[in-house]
Amino acid sequence: MLSGGRIGDIGRNKRVDRTLADGEFVTRRAVELGINAKHYTILIEDAIKESNFIVAPDGISGNLIFRTIAFLGGGDGLGAPVLMDDYVFVDTSRVGGHFTKAIMLASALSHLNKERKKR
């Protein structure tokens, strides 16, 4: 999980505070669900070294991260997963040209969602 600042930045800006709180909450919730998750705050350089999945603090920064990694850095993006109670979908780039990995991600997340509901 990423957020808009470091923990030591709390109190400087309400928007950054909100992203930090959200990052902490989402990380805690993911761990409760058995997902190996860590809140890297704004330190994307650490997250990219240690993680295989990055959650941005909002859609705009997520889009910028994706475009930088995929289009400028030669990386690969799966899209932005959206998880709701009854539906799962992956928002993809119109420029990417392929959707196979996004479909596989959506399928895996849908399966996890169904398993979670059985509990």
Side-chain angles (χ1 to χ4, degrees):
M1 305 297 163
L2 296 176
S3 55
R6 297 173 188 243
I7 297 297
D9 295 334
I10 292 174
R12 292 184 187 174
N13 179 284
K14 288 181 183 181
R15 185 172 175 201
V16 171
D17 290 357
R18 179 79 257 159
T19 68
L20 287 163
D22 290 347
E24 287 293 307
F25 173 80
V26 172
T27 300
R28 204 170 30 255
R29 186 69 180 117
V31 169
E32 288 171 3
L33 292 171
I35 298 168
N36 182 14
K38 180 177 177 182
H39 182 203
Y40 286 91
T41 64
I42 199 166
L43 302 176
I44 191 172
E45 63 274 19
D46 293 343
I48 201 90
K49 291 177 194 171
E50 301 172 5
S51 304
N52 58 9
F53 199 88
I54 294 175
V55 178
D58 58 46
I60 292 172
S61 50
N63 198 334
L64 289 167
I65 292 167
F66 163 74
R67 290 178 168 287
T68 302
I69 292 171
F71 299 137
L72 300 178
D76 199 12
L78 304 176
V82 178
L83 310 169
M84 297 182 287
D85 286 339
D86 294 324
Y87 302 100
V88 172
F89 68 90
V90 177
D91 186 15
T92 60
S93 172
R94 294 179 290 264
V95 181
H98 63 83
F99 303 102
T100 305
K101 291 180 181 177
I103 292 168
M104 292 183 335
L105 176 59
S107 176
L109 291 172
S110 177
H111 175 74
L112 288 173
N113 198 30
K114 287 177 186 170
E115 290 298 314
R116 180 183 59 82
K117 286 182 178 183
K118 287 180 184 178
R119 293 183 203 164

